[in-house]
Amino acid sequence: MIYMDYNATTPCDERVVEEMLPYFNNKFANSASLYRPARETRKAVEEARKNISLLVGVLPDEIFFTSGGTEADNWAIMATALKFQSKGKHIITSAIEHHAVLYTCKALEKQGFEVTYIPVDNYGIIDIEQLKNSIRKDTILITIMHANNEIGSIQPISEISAMAKEKGVIFHTDSVQTIGKIPCNLKELGPDMFSLSAHKFYGPKGIGALYIRKGLSIPPFIYGGGQEKGKRSGTTNVAGIVGFGKAAELAKQEMSTDIIYVKKLRDTLENKIKESIPEIILNGHPEKKLHNTINVCIKHIEGESILLSLDFEGICASSGSACTSGSLEPSHVLLAIGLPHEIAHGSLRLTLGKYNTMDEVEKVASVLPRVVERLRQISPFWQDKK
Ligand SMILES: *Cc1c(COP(=O)(O)O)cnc(C)c1O
């Protein structure tokens, strides 16, 4: 099997698994309890929090564990809306957010909030001037993602932070696709809140965090036993947190070499696709883009049929985002960068990671043109064209 869907999830690094294992049985104590074994699990949790804070350049106290990126996004947006609704009910986001942000904003619209969706250019970068002009007296939150999961485009986060600060508006960023993957000093980037998730950088699924800048206080999203300083209740997922911490430690040490390795594979594959398949569109910004992401629209055929054919050859890829595949609506991200429906339907996302090899790149590069050729032969759109 060849796995090229790293933006959907990554396998756990073996070293992460090893670090986690004792916390399922030998070191199982509830970290909130008073006995010695509990103090040990508590220590492991705090060690992980420290490693995560070091990876992103913030204070350990500013990291609050959640069940993942989705919960962190929901929490940041819902709690800010709840707390500041007396000041205003206007929220700004972008047209290309992950559904964890987009559908949370939609839910708030149903509750009387007004949401402005900032458009993006053909490369998937937001229009910063339009963002500036959209800020109103009653704007309480800007939530704009760091890197897009589908096309990899990277937004000007420091500029947005500066603008938000100047206008006195809270700024949250979904940085699930960047943290642990590319260098991120969040103190320099400057958002008030950001979301992160372990399983996008070789950690376990079901664990993530929300950073909340010291001095900013938002209400909890989940109530109960008062864990995470009363901000996020629920028995602490010690094994998950330990794995998250280990993944952060490894990312800090190995990220720069991983980036060089993965980028070389990605560039090779992208060039081979460009050379061997006619009538395609490569999506995303040429430079301001994740080093592991290829998103390509292959004209006159359907993304779903490409995926099925690749699956038959043992290749795992994606069309649009993992959450929307299975539905027949084309990706909202591809529509937002201005592609017409029929072209957006033919999208293929190949996202690479540290376990891919040049042999795998060669294999995919030789299989894909054959698959495309065969699908085009039976495509009525391709026949019409001829
Ligand atoms: C994967 C992803 C999420 C969701 O994170 P989970 O930990 O899977 O809930 C949110 N935003 C982006 C950009 C993502 O890629």
Side-chain angles (χ1 to χ4, degrees):
M1 185 198 78
I2 297 178
Y3 184 78
M4 288 197 181
D5 201 12
Y6 280 79
N7 284 11
T9 193
T10 63
C12 259
D13 189 298
E14 276 305 324
R15 294 165 291 178
V16 168
V17 176
E18 210 171 294
E19 198 83 6
M20 290 171 73
L21 283 175
Y23 294 91
F24 287 103
N25 43 31
N26 294 338
K27 303 184 178 180
F28 66 91
N30 187 324
S31 61
S33 299
L34 289 174
Y35 26 80
R36 189 171 50 82
R39 282 198 294 279
E40 274 167 24
T41 51
R42 205 145 59 227
K43 218 175 106 196
V45 166
E46 293 319 313
E47 182 67 22
R49 201 187 306 274
K50 201 181 83 196
N51 278 327
I52 294 157
S53 71
L54 285 173
L55 174 67
V56 289
V58 302
L59 301 169
D61 282 359
E62 298 174 307
I63 298 287
F64 297 87
F65 291 114
T66 65
S67 64
T70 300
E71 186 191 320
D73 286 342
N74 273 257
W75 179 17
I77 297 166
M78 284 291 186
T80 304
L82 186 68
K83 178 165 175 180
F84 295 99
Q85 59 184 329
S86 57
K87 188 194 159 207
K89 288 191 145 192
H90 181 234
I91 293 169
I92 301 174
T93 187
S94 85
I96 61 163
E97 296 300 307
H98 189 275
H99 286 138
V101 167
L102 224 42
Y103 289 161
T104 306
C105 289
K106 294 262 177 233
L108 283 170
E109 280 180 316
K110 291 212 177 84
Q111 294 175 38
F113 285 81
E114 198 186 325
V115 181
T116 300
Y117 300 88
I118 301 295
V120 294
D121 63 16
N122 298 133
Y123 292 127
I125 308 289
I126 63 146
D127 184 336
I128 196 103
E129 273 310 304
Q130 191 151 349
L131 172 62
K132 192 172 191 170
N133 295 333
S134 303
I135 300 176
R136 316 190 310 213
K137 279 216 153 38
D138 61 342
T139 307
I140 50 170
L141 173 70
I142 298 171
T143 173
I144 288 177
M145 72 197 318
H146 193 183
N148 182 267
N149 44 302
E150 291 188 40
I151 58 174
S153 51
I154 298 173
Q155 305 301 333
I157 295 301
S158 342
E159 283 177 56
I160 303 172
S161 291
M163 184 182 296
K165 189 172 277 174
E166 190 194 312
K167 302 270 187 181
V169 179
I170 293 171
F171 173 39
H172 163 257
T173 186
D174 174 344
S175 44
V176 171
Q177 283 294 339
T178 50
I179 290 175
K181 211 158 158 179
I182 61 172
C184 295
N185 183 323
L186 267 302
K187 273 286 181 272
E188 277 168 22
L189 290 169
D192 298 294
M193 291 185 278
F194 61 80
S195 307
L196 51 163
S197 177
H199 76 99
K200 301 291 173 85
F201 64 100
Y202 313 104
K205 292 167 194 44
I207 187 72
L210 179 65
Y211 156 89
I212 306 173
R213 175 179 57 73
K214 220 185 186 96
L216 174 67
S217 172
I218 59 166
F221 184 56
I222 289 178
Y223 292 89
Q227 288 86 352
E228 296 295 290
K229 288 183 263 151
K231 290 291 182 194
R232 202 288 190 177
S233 290
T235 301
T236 305
N237 176 0
V238 178
I241 290 169
V242 166
F244 189 3
K246 186 67 185 177
E249 186 193 329
L250 294 173
K252 193 165 166 54
Q253 291 160 0
E254 299 172 6
M255 179 189 292
S256 50
T257 39
D258 288 348
I259 290 175
I260 294 167
Y261 176 73
V262 173
K263 185 174 189 312
K264 187 166 173 212
L265 296 182
R266 195 277 310 267
D267 289 348
T268 306
L269 183 54
E270 195 169 75
N271 284 329
K272 283 178 185 284
I273 291 173
K274 251 193 280 189
E275 284 160 13
S276 61
I277 307 175
E279 300 216 36
I280 60 169
I281 299 173
L282 277 165
N283 299 312
H285 194 278
E287 289 110 42
K288 294 172 201 158
K289 177 175 162 180
L290 290 173
H291 63 278
N292 76 321
T293 301
I294 299 175
N295 188 304
V296 59
C297 286
I298 303 177
K299 291 185 189 170
H300 317 296
I301 51 178
E302 299 261 316
E304 279 74 18
S305 40
I306 307 171
L307 288 192
L308 291 177
S309 302
L310 289 180
D311 179 39
F312 187 75
E313 305 267 356
I315 299 166
C316 306
S318 154
S319 171
S321 69
C323 327
T324 46
S325 54
S327 82
L328 281 172
E329 268 297 291
S331 144
H332 66 288
V333 176
L334 297 180
L335 297 180
I337 61 173
L339 294 174
H341 269 66
E342 67 274 16
I343 290 179
H345 265 305
S347 76
L348 173 69
R349 182 184 76 173
L350 294 160
T351 50
L352 285 73
K354 67 179 180 182
Y355 298 121
N356 286 128
T357 62
M358 201 49 98
D359 278 353
E360 292 179 331
V361 164
E362 302 283 348
K363 174 89 193 294
V364 173
S366 80
V367 167
L368 188 58
R370 267 198 285 121
V371 163
V372 170
E373 176 63 22
R374 193 176 51 78
L375 290 172
R376 278 179 173 169
Q377 287 310 322
I378 56 171
S379 156
F381 308 111
W382 184 250
Q383 297 308 327
D384 285 353
K385 210 185 134 268
K386 289 195 188 161

